[in-house]
Amino acid sequence: MPGMKGTVSHFRLLDPLGAGGMGQVYTAFDTKLQRTVALKFVSPELVQDSAARQRLLREARSAATLNHSN
């Protein structure tokens, strides 16, 4: 996924933001909501790991509560 560009669903991938233990994060543009977002792609080896999926879901729920201009 390094340097990945293009579209995924209704998101236009812009730039990689970083990578960590669970996968990679990209800046993307949501063409439906007309706003910039961050998208995380889970590493393929973690897709079948139910504990990793639960961690990702908790992280997403936490991030969804944030309301900040950055």
Side-chain angles (χ1 to χ4, degrees):
M1 268 186 255
M4 190 167 76
K5 293 283 184 174
T7 58
V8 175
S9 183
H10 59 279
F11 299 99
R12 187 172 62 244
L13 300 178
L14 303 174
D15 295 302
L17 284 175
M22 290 195 71
Q24 296 183 325
V25 180
Y26 287 82
T27 302
F29 185 74
D30 183 330
T31 59
K32 287 187 178 182
L33 298 178
Q34 297 293 299
R35 67 180 189 164
T36 302
V37 298
L39 290 181
K40 179 178 270 190
F41 293 90
V42 178
S43 298
E45 61 271 11
L46 295 178
V47 171
Q48 299 301 318
D49 182 337
S50 63
R53 287 196 311 271
Q54 289 300 314
R55 280 194 311 272
L56 181 64
L57 185 55
R58 281 193 305 273
E59 180 182 311
R61 286 180 177 146
S62 293
T65 66
L66 300 175
N67 185 14
H68 193 277
S69 61
N70 292 325

